[in-house]
Amino acid sequence: MRRIPWIPITIISVIVIMAAFAPLIAPYSPIDQTLPDKLLPPFWLEGGRGKYILGTDPFGRDILSRLIHGARVSLIVALLALTAGGGVGLAIGILAGYLGGPVDSVLMRLVDAAFTFPAILFALLLAVTMGQGMATLVIAISLLLWASFARIIRGEVLALKQRDFVALAKVRGCSALRIMLTHILPNVLNTFMVLVTLNIGVVIIAEAALSFLGAGIPPPTPTWGLMISEGRGRIADAWWVSLIPGIAITLLVLSVNLFGDWLRDRLDPRLRQL
Amino acid sequence: MKRYILRRLLHGIVLLSMVATIVFFLGRLTGNPVDLMLPEDAAPEDRVALIKALGLDGPLHEQFFIFATNAFKGDLGMSIRMRQPAVEAFFSRLPNTLAIIPWAILLGTCIGIPLGVVSALNRGNILDRAAGTVGVLGIATPSFWLGILLIFVFSVELGWLPSGRMGGPEHYVLPVITLGTFLVAGFMRLTRSSMLEVMDSEFVKLARIKGLHEGVVIWKHCLRNALIPVLTLWGVFVGNLITGAIVVETVFAWPGVGRLTYEAVIYRDFPLLQAVIILKAILILTINLMVDILYAYVDPRIRLT
């Protein structure tokens, strides 16, 4: 059995705590501009001040404070998108797997379609037609998730359906809905949790990419993707504006992926192929 | 074979009409799509003229019919910003994107697959761990940030390579690495798990018992079979590359269709975005179909159902 991944767990906990208590922890406002202090480097570089540990951006905003508040946005979006997209995928997977027949083939064609066509394009279209914002972003990212959830959950349900306890429930006259809710659902929750963990990284990167492309949450709300995008033009004289948020994304995604791998091996080793 | 191709073609057409329908209705979700199609300072009479020209004064099903017939004729509207047909804009930029994608695929294949094999053969030891680190890092690093990091290191600090725009061969290096990295990671992880599975199978054990040379066992028996699932994922990678190209071309100011997509979003150029999405869907479906047919030829065991 693999060891408990303490380092990833610590990193995730720190970021979650940062996000939860952002206003208490962040030393400065993430939005208020202090123009005289613009583009100060992190404290360990020449010209850096202890006041701004990670430096400031072109508007004199503290990078650390924006990073802390940005974690909040990333995690809220991840939570909502995984609940919505994962939930829809779970429901479709159970319906398709349990009911079978034409329902199954129609739903699975839809899943195939979703796999062929990149959801990011729809996300961009949504942002242009519905306007930028949290709701658009969550819908867009959910579109990215539901198909892979549906496909894997369906596979699980197909196997569960053959088990004796399902047959017994049928003999006792349980309705299909009841069997799906009380007999199938609890048994796929492990797989569901593993899928959720393995997809947190996907969601965080998607959120950052959409913000970077100008289709995420509009400024001045700090998000990690937006921070990278805002610092892009200043890479020659102020690398920290753009590179530091990227390090945060990579660290968080790496940690949740390593944690997810471990969780999968613990709870559901059959998903190894993912 | 013919029936299979025909069926896949039919699936493709259904999918494409789904994409077009969704695009059509999303454009009408927020009210009159003319507001999305005209610049903000457009004259009211232009607005009325466009509404008439697009048949937007008619009922919804009639509007859809006009949209569909126009689309079928290759008319997907005018780009607001570029004042030229959106389809034309797309095709004038397409060659630039197609100029980097094959190199990214080559990079992903030539590094990812060998890395996966090495990793599987050295399961659990330091080489496997090193390759595994490349794999996880490649997936955890957002490509737009990786591009900026590469620009910082190789253009700003070292001054070895240009930071963007098209040009000679040196202009290709950074975009191709950025686009290829997630392919390297993806191919590596897949090849590794697929190799491990094949190496555990009966026919490989038999080949070993027969006393075949280890090299023959690995390359002829294992790798050839292990590559099948890797090939299957090709279709998925095509979609990923097309979206990956959006951020990579944005970072490197590369004048391809990815950058065009970004511009359409930034300038809220709805007709352009609508055309880009439909044309990309056609592109992805065509490539997928070709890959699947190729795949059926390569592996006769695949039942064409």
Side-chain angles (χ1 to χ4, degrees):
Chain A
M1 184 48 68
R2 288 166 69 163
R3 277 176 301 158
I4 299 175
W6 285 115
I7 299 174
I9 290 178
T10 315
I11 294 174
I12 297 169
S13 317
V14 168
I15 293 178
V16 168
I17 290 170
M18 260 170 43
F21 301 103
L24 299 176
I25 297 175
Y28 300 96
S29 152
I31 296 168
D32 293 345
Q33 308 185 354
T34 320
L35 287 172
D37 289 347
K38 70 176 183 190
L39 293 174
L40 289 174
F43 77 91
W44 65 86
L45 290 179
E46 205 180 324
R49 297 193 207 152
K51 225 173 124 187
Y52 303 110
I53 299 177
L54 296 178
T56 57
D57 72 0
F59 300 102
R61 296 174 297 198
D62 179 37
I63 304 261
L64 179 65
S65 303
R66 285 178 67 74
L67 212 55
I68 293 173
H69 280 270
R72 193 171 227 199
V73 178
S74 285
L75 292 181
I76 291 177
V77 170
L79 192 72
L80 293 176
L82 283 165
T83 315
V88 169
L90 179 69
I92 289 184
I94 293 181
L95 281 173
Y98 186 75
L99 297 177
V103 179
D104 183 35
S105 31
V106 169
L107 289 175
M108 283 306 113
R109 284 296 83 76
L110 272 178
V111 167
D112 288 342
F115 268 105
T116 348
F117 194 74
I120 289 278
L121 290 179
F122 276 130
L124 296 176
L125 190 69
L126 276 180
V128 169
T129 51
M130 289 171 59
Q132 289 171 248
M134 180 80 93
T136 316
L137 197 60
V138 169
I139 296 174
I141 297 175
S142 311
L143 284 175
L144 197 85
L145 292 174
W146 71 275
S148 60
F149 275 75
R151 183 176 276 179
I152 292 162
I153 299 282
R154 170 183 174 267
E156 294 278 292
V157 174
L158 285 182
L160 279 172
K161 211 163 78 165
Q162 309 299 329
R163 299 271 294 272
D164 290 342
F165 65 86
V166 175
L168 204 64
K170 265 190 211 154
V171 171
R172 278 195 52 199
C174 286
S175 67
L177 184 70
R178 193 190 156 101
I179 293 179
M180 283 189 272
L181 282 178
T182 61
H183 297 281
I184 304 274
L185 180 66
N187 283 297
V188 292
L189 280 184
N190 261 2
T191 310
F192 180 71
M193 280 321 293
V194 172
L195 282 176
V196 165
T197 341
L198 288 175
N199 276 293
I200 297 175
V202 176
V203 174
I204 288 168
I205 289 190
E207 187 270 326
L210 287 173
S211 299
F212 178 79
L213 291 173
I217 291 169
T221 309
T223 78
W224 291 352
L226 194 66
M227 289 170 76
I228 296 179
S229 156
E230 284 171 347
R232 188 156 68 91
R234 309 306 294 252
I235 190 77
D237 56 343
W239 57 265
W240 54 90
V241 181
S242 192
L243 294 188
I244 288 178
I247 296 172
I249 296 178
T250 308
L251 259 183
L252 177 58
V253 173
L254 200 61
S255 303
V256 291
N257 284 355
L258 291 173
F259 178 70
D261 282 349
W262 173 79
L263 197 69
R264 174 197 59 199
D265 290 351
R266 284 296 307 245
L267 295 180
D268 208 341
R270 275 165 305 157
L271 291 174
R272 260 304 352 197
Q273 282 291 340
L274 292 178
Chain B
M1 193 64 171
K2 240 186 214 156
R3 266 190 68 188
Y4 170 72
I5 297 176
L6 220 68
R7 242 181 78 168
R8 287 295 316 270
L9 221 53
L10 205 71
H11 274 173
I13 292 169
V14 171
L15 187 58
L16 194 62
S17 1
M18 265 163 55
V19 170
T21 314
I22 293 172
V23 170
F24 171 84
F25 281 105
L26 274 181
R28 274 142 191 86
L29 200 66
T30 43
N32 200 321
V34 166
D35 298 330
L36 291 166
M37 291 182 187
L38 285 175
E40 270 165 33
D41 53 352
E45 49 269 29
D46 286 346
R47 195 169 180 274
V48 175
L50 188 65
I51 288 180
K52 262 218 131 58
L54 293 173
L56 293 178
D57 41 0
L60 207 60
H61 64 271
E62 252 172 52
Q63 290 183 29
F64 186 70
F65 183 73
I66 294 170
F67 167 78
T69 32
N70 280 346
F72 198 69
K73 283 187 266 176
D75 174 13
L76 289 169
M78 295 285 282
S79 159
I80 297 171
R81 201 173 63 91
M82 304 201 280
R83 301 186 190 284
Q84 64 166 328
V87 177
E88 237 172 65
F90 182 85
F91 281 105
S92 67
R93 300 278 199 99
L94 186 61
N96 298 339
T97 296
L98 296 182
I100 45 171
I101 283 188
W103 298 111
I105 295 173
L106 195 71
L107 183 79
T109 317
C110 291
I111 297 183
I113 292 178
L115 216 57
V117 174
V118 169
S119 181
L121 294 181
N122 293 284
R123 187 180 190 176
N125 76 13
I126 186 102
L127 270 172
D128 184 22
R129 281 168 167 249
T133 312
V134 174
V136 254
L137 266 179
I139 285 179
T141 315
S143 55
F144 53 94
W145 181 72
L146 180 69
I148 295 173
L149 181 69
L150 290 174
I151 290 177
F152 176 66
V153 174
F154 293 100
S155 308
V156 177
E157 290 292 304
L158 298 171
W160 289 353
L161 292 163
S163 65
R165 302 193 197 288
M166 271 190 98
E170 71 277 11
H171 284 82
Y172 283 72
V173 180
L174 295 183
V176 167
I177 294 178
T178 310
L179 194 56
T181 300
F182 90 93
L183 284 184
V184 171
F187 276 133
M188 182 247 138
R189 284 167 70 119
L190 251 171
T191 310
R192 178 179 183 275
S193 65
S194 167
M195 269 298 271
L196 286 176
E197 200 166 295
V198 173
M199 278 160 67
D200 204 37
S201 65
E202 297 295 320
F203 68 88
V204 171
K205 281 178 197 148
L206 180 71
R208 287 224 170 91
I209 293 169
K210 278 200 313 195
L212 283 184
H213 191 264
E214 187 62 17
V216 178
V217 175
I218 298 298
W219 295 109
K220 280 197 87 165
H221 290 78
C222 294
L223 185 61
R224 277 172 86 168
N225 285 291
L227 283 183
I228 294 170
V230 179
L231 271 179
T232 328
L233 263 175
W234 236 82
V236 177
F237 282 138
V238 170
N240 279 341
L241 272 172
I242 301 247
T243 40
I246 302 177
V247 283
V248 172
E249 288 178 8
T250 303
V251 170
F252 291 99
W254 192 270
V257 285
R259 170 101 195 161
L260 190 70
T261 317
Y262 170 73
E263 287 164 1
V265 173
I266 285 296
Y267 298 108
R268 299 291 184 255
D269 193 340
F270 177 75
L272 182 61
L273 187 61
Q274 158 181 310
V276 164
I277 288 177
I278 293 174
L279 292 169
K280 277 187 177 175
I282 296 177
L283 197 68
I284 292 170
L285 289 171
T286 318
I287 298 174
N288 265 322
L289 179 64
M290 287 188 325
V291 169
D292 282 355
I293 292 171
L294 203 74
Y295 178 47
Y297 269 118
V298 174
D299 185 2
R301 287 180 315 178
I302 308 298
R303 274 177 303 132
L304 296 179
T305 47

